[in-house]
Amino acid sequence: MNQYINKPTSAFIAASWVALIAGIAAYIIGLWNAQMPFNEKGYYLILILYGLFAAVSLQKIVRDKLEGIAVTSIYFGLCWASIIICAFLLTIGLWNASLQLSEKGFYIMAFLLSLFGAVAVQKNIRDLDYLRTHSQTPKLPEFPNTDHNDDSQ
């Protein structure tokens, strides 16, 4: 790896988890309380799940490329396409939804906060795992005791 990985601070780790949990919770609570048919709620639920998966996959593949891990162009393209498709579907769904403008903005912001949180949490997990596996100090070889003085006599 060509770059130096800094250990994420506890504050950034906590903020990442809070962003992820707050974004998902707000989105799900908003869906639960929304006055829309179940099939529409299911559409928005699938979009958040698809978006989270796509964001984590994209973050992983970008990191793999940085670390010199072989990445196929088809998977890289699929990850980007998934993010774009997900954002497009959310935009189309909200554009055509019979929701107030403030509700539409709420869903957009909760969605984006969730994706940001997922990427940040994935990055932190990856950084901590890398540091844990690569920062183990090598053990010094143990040499046999060369002291031939025998004090027991």
Side-chain angles (χ1 to χ4, degrees):
M1 181 176 216
N2 300 350
Q3 61 188 12
Y4 179 75
I5 303 275
N6 287 319
K7 181 179 182 198
T9 63
S10 298
F12 183 69
I13 292 170
S16 300
W17 279 103
V18 167
L20 177 62
I21 292 167
I24 293 172
Y27 192 93
I28 298 300
I29 291 169
L31 274 182
W32 182 266
N33 291 321
Q35 299 298 316
M36 61 177 75
F38 283 126
N39 63 333
E40 197 173 343
K41 287 182 180 186
Y43 174 80
Y44 290 112
L45 178 63
I46 291 302
L47 281 179
I48 189 79
L49 296 174
Y50 179 35
L52 290 170
F53 178 78
V56 169
S57 293
L58 182 61
Q59 192 282 334
K60 181 197 179 317
I61 204 150
V62 167
R63 181 66 177 265
D64 284 351
K65 287 180 91 167
L66 286 174
E67 292 179 359
I69 298 172
V71 171
T72 62
S73 58
I74 189 81
Y75 188 69
F76 185 68
L78 183 60
C79 288
W80 272 112
S82 292
I83 291 288
I84 293 166
I85 290 167
C86 195
F88 177 74
L89 289 174
L90 180 67
T91 302
I92 295 300
L94 289 175
W95 184 271
N96 292 307
S98 58
L99 299 171
Q100 293 181 10
L101 193 55
S102 60
E103 291 175 297
K104 292 177 181 184
F106 167 81
Y107 283 111
I108 291 168
M109 294 310 295
F111 184 83
L112 293 176
L113 181 61
S114 299
L115 296 188
F116 168 78
V119 168
V121 166
Q122 166 68 7
K123 180 199 175 303
N124 291 338
I125 290 170
R126 186 85 178 243
D127 287 347
L128 292 172
D129 184 60
Y130 180 85
L131 291 171
R132 184 177 58 252
T133 58
H134 290 85
S135 67
Q136 297 172 354
T137 56
K139 282 185 142 182
L140 294 174
E142 293 185 23
F143 296 103
N145 187 357
T146 57
D147 186 16
H148 296 300
N149 294 338
D150 192 359
D151 293 338
S152 63
Q153 295 179 346

